[in-house]
Amino acid sequence: MELENLRFGTELLKRGFAKMQKGGVIMDVTTPEQAVIAQEAGAVAVMALHAVPADIRKMGGVARMADPAIIEAIIEAVTIPVMAKARIGHFVEAQVLEALGVDMVDESEVLTPADEFHIEKTKFTIPFVCGARNLGEACRRIKEGAAMIRTKGEAGTGDVSQAVLHMRMIQGQIRSLKGMDDLQLMKVAREIEADLDLVKECASMQRLPVVNFAAGGVATPADAALMMQLGADGVFVGSGIFKSENPAAMAGAIVEAVHHYDDASLLAKVSKGLGAAMKGLDASTIPETEALQNRGW
Amino acid sequence: MAKIGVLALQGDVSEHVLALERAGEGKIQAILVRKSGQMEECDALVLPGGESTTICRQLESSGLTDELKAASLSGKPILATCAGLVLVSKEIMGNRESLVKPLGLMNIKISRNAFGPQKESFEADLQVKGLDRPYRAVFIRAPAIGEVGRGVEVLASIGDTVVAARQGNLLALAFHPELTQDPRIHQIFLKMLEA
């Protein structure tokens, strides 16, 4: 086999990588030790960042990409894929993450946005995941090259309500496309500021053309199973694990809950005796200007 | 109608179901295997791609490890892709942790994530034994077969690296035939049902 026959960074490879995460839990970690706990608990991947969203909220200031030394140590510590967050629009942070050997970049509203524009993700070899609250936002991110979508939810709150809202919104909008003719789809595409071909694809597939995970407020096994029953392909858990009383037990229980999301007796069993979940914050009490989900467009 | 069970603990399960239905042209039924007792009903099994650490853990916690071993010993055809290849091997070379316990169904040693991180993932036109034209193969953080033992037939290689092999009822690939529209690999697998 001649090496020049190999092709890297294709759309198929990017979306394929995301598909391998399906039915799994991706966990936020800030240290190699946490990454090992996540891996042992059955995480399909870890997300490296400098502080979990709940702490970012408390600390205030500008939230940036994690220290490359920490990211390297996390890559060294585990064999599962390592993802890391870059600021919205900060394509140089994304370039640095790609150079470090990170497997996927999360262009995340949890960090302080760097630009009104999002990153041109088609220019990268590694895949990106982006947050979305509705179908228009999801299609804009996919058009820019996102290989995976997640709900924005409201990160760092431990309040699942916003993730539910965003998942229902995207699913509902896709269902409403069913049976529409081309002119009607064109009108929807214009209204939600989305690419027409992507809208047509969603209409015929009756789902997003990329993997769609739940994120932003998942704090318990029941939360994770709720998102799966609502149609999520998998779950991101941020503060929910390492802000809980017993992270290893909580992590393992959430993995079980995602795999057996429709088995209530098993959910009851895995939810027992986990210690306190993260304290959390009622998302409806957050002033609109401080809500992370309003970052990006 | 032959029943093909796709192990549905984690990974790209629905892609395999679609690929099987495409290759089977209405003559097979694909079912999802998640619980103890389901493998017995199946005439053949698919172990999909995904994260081998996670799938291995879930096999154990679902009590499916022994059932899978028994299914293999009984001669049911098994298609193992990527993470599935890791599972059916007898040894992981340079294993630095014991989270992934290969089932030892096939006389091969593998190396996990043999090509590097996602930026080194690639597509290649592969010469596969038994196929007249090259097959566009998709490798995603793929493992590779490092050592091939007795009874194992090599089906495809990239340079010196073996990426597809067969041993009796087991067909194991480092790449993902379920991610492309080309049905030929799944057709080879379904042919194994006739043997």
Side-chain angles (χ1 to χ4, degrees):
Chain A
M1 171 76 52
E2 298 296 323
L3 279 177
E4 52 265 37
N5 289 340
L6 306 185
R7 293 178 66 209
F8 298 89
T10 63
E11 207 53 51
L12 184 59
L13 290 165
K14 291 176 177 178
R15 292 185 181 189
F17 171 82
K19 286 176 176 176
M20 297 308 145
Q21 314 302 313
K22 286 198 299 179
V25 183
I26 299 167
M27 302 183 190
D28 276 5
V29 299
T30 57
T31 64
E33 293 75 23
Q34 289 183 353
V36 169
I37 292 172
Q39 176 171 264
E40 283 175 357
V44 287
V46 291
M47 175 73 67
L49 68 176
H50 79 287
V52 293
D55 288 334
I56 290 176
R57 231 173 233 297
K58 257 188 241 156
M59 292 184 304
V62 177
R64 310 180 179 92
M65 170 185 81
D67 178 348
I70 300 274
I71 294 171
E72 272 181 342
I74 290 171
I75 290 172
E76 196 49 44
V78 294
T79 58
I80 59 176
V82 175
M83 307 180 179
K85 288 186 195 290
R87 283 178 262 178
I88 289 175
H90 206 313
F91 53 86
V92 173
E93 281 189 349
Q95 288 166 359
V96 169
L97 294 174
E98 181 167 83
L100 286 170
V102 160
D103 294 299
M104 182 177 239
V105 174
D106 182 2
E107 186 183 19
S108 178
E109 69 282 2
V110 168
L111 307 185
T112 311
D115 196 341
E116 63 170 311
F117 296 108
H118 287 250
I119 297 170
E120 270 189 275
K121 292 165 275 286
T122 48
K123 289 191 167 168
F124 285 76
T125 304
I126 58 171
F128 282 70
V129 54
C130 289
R133 291 164 296 182
N134 52 53
L135 184 60
E137 216 171 354
C139 288
R140 289 194 290 277
R141 297 296 85 79
I142 295 167
K143 185 70 184 170
E144 291 158 359
M148 182 178 189
I149 294 294
R150 54 171 176 76
T151 60
K152 282 183 168 174
E154 189 56 37
T157 61
D159 179 348
V160 79
S161 65
Q162 300 299 297
V164 169
L165 179 72
H166 299 158
M167 186 57 75
R168 280 197 187 281
M169 175 65 79
I170 291 173
Q171 311 274 26
Q173 285 178 293
I174 292 174
R175 269 197 303 274
S176 74
L177 301 176
K178 207 172 185 174
M180 284 189 184
D181 65 22
D182 280 3
L183 291 174
Q184 289 171 309
L185 290 173
M186 229 186 279
K187 186 176 174 212
V188 172
R190 212 165 50 232
E191 281 168 358
I192 66 173
E193 297 179 78
D195 178 77
L196 177 59
D197 289 338
L198 278 171
V199 171
K200 283 183 175 172
E201 210 177 344
C202 292
S204 70
M205 291 174 77
Q206 279 297 296
R207 61 155 296 143
L208 290 178
V210 300
V211 167
N212 185 19
F213 268 45
V218 176
T220 67
D223 286 350
L226 172 68
M227 297 312 301
M228 293 299 288
Q229 288 200 27
L230 287 172
D233 292 317
V235 174
F236 283 91
V237 187
S239 319
I241 289 167
F242 290 99
K243 283 285 157 191
S244 73
E245 193 178 335
N246 187 345
M250 184 62 84
I254 291 178
V255 168
E256 290 292 334
V258 166
H259 292 162
H260 304 284
Y261 65 88
D262 53 0
D263 182 342
S265 57
L266 210 134
L267 292 174
K269 196 173 123 195
V270 303
S271 300
K272 282 179 200 166
L274 297 175
M278 68 181 284
K279 179 166 175 279
L281 172 66
D282 180 342
S284 66
T285 64
I286 300 170
E288 200 163 319
T289 51
E290 288 171 29
L292 300 176
Q293 60 177 280
N294 295 331
R295 294 169 165 180
W297 62 288
Chain B
M1 195 187 294
K3 267 191 189 171
I4 320 289
V6 181
L7 187 69
L9 298 173
Q10 192 271 317
D12 69 335
V13 175
S14 59
E15 286 71 17
H16 265 294
V17 170
L18 287 174
L20 285 167
E21 285 170 352
R22 200 162 44 227
E25 294 172 340
K27 295 188 197 80
I28 62 109
Q29 184 194 358
I31 63 167
L32 303 183
V33 173
R34 294 170 70 192
K35 290 193 166 69
S36 179
Q38 289 179 306
M39 278 190 209
E40 253 178 280
E41 305 166 24
C42 300
D43 302 299
L45 294 168
V46 175
L47 311 180
E51 177 46 50
S52 51
T53 317
T54 308
I55 295 174
C56 198
R57 185 186 191 276
Q58 292 313 113
L59 263 182
E60 285 288 335
S61 74
S62 310
L64 290 172
T65 309
D66 289 338
E67 287 182 35
L68 179 53
K69 282 183 187 169
S72 175
L73 285 174
S74 75
K76 285 181 186 177
I78 296 179
L79 171 64
T81 60
C82 197
L85 165 65
V86 176
L87 287 181
V88 299
S89 70
K90 70 168 183 185
E91 192 182 316
I92 299 171
M93 297 162 84
N95 201 4
R96 54 178 175 156
E97 31 84 6
S98 55
L99 289 175
V100 182
K101 296 176 202 75
L103 304 177
L105 307 179
M106 223 172 145
N107 198 9
I108 51 173
K109 294 184 182 177
I110 63 108
S111 50
R112 285 179 73 197
N113 206 359
F115 301 94
Q118 175 61 15
K119 65 178 168 183
E120 307 296 339
S121 291
F122 60 94
E123 295 179 33
D125 289 321
L126 207 59
Q127 294 293 340
V128 180
K129 213 170 168 180
L131 298 182
D132 51 357
R133 291 175 287 113
Y135 190 90
R136 173 48 63 106
V138 180
F139 293 83
I140 296 175
R141 289 180 96 250
I145 302 172
E147 272 183 55
V148 174
R150 280 184 60 180
V152 178
E153 181 188 11
V154 171
L155 299 180
S157 303
I158 294 181
D160 297 333
T161 308
V162 178
V163 294
R166 181 174 171 182
Q167 180 183 353
N169 58 317
L170 290 144
L171 177 61
L173 317 166
F175 55 92
H176 294 281
E178 72 279 13
L179 291 183
T180 49
Q181 302 296 311
D182 189 339
R184 290 179 294 161
I185 298 277
H186 282 85
Q187 283 165 352
I188 293 177
F189 171 58
L190 293 178
K191 270 236 165 68
M192 288 162 65
L193 271 169
E194 296 162 15

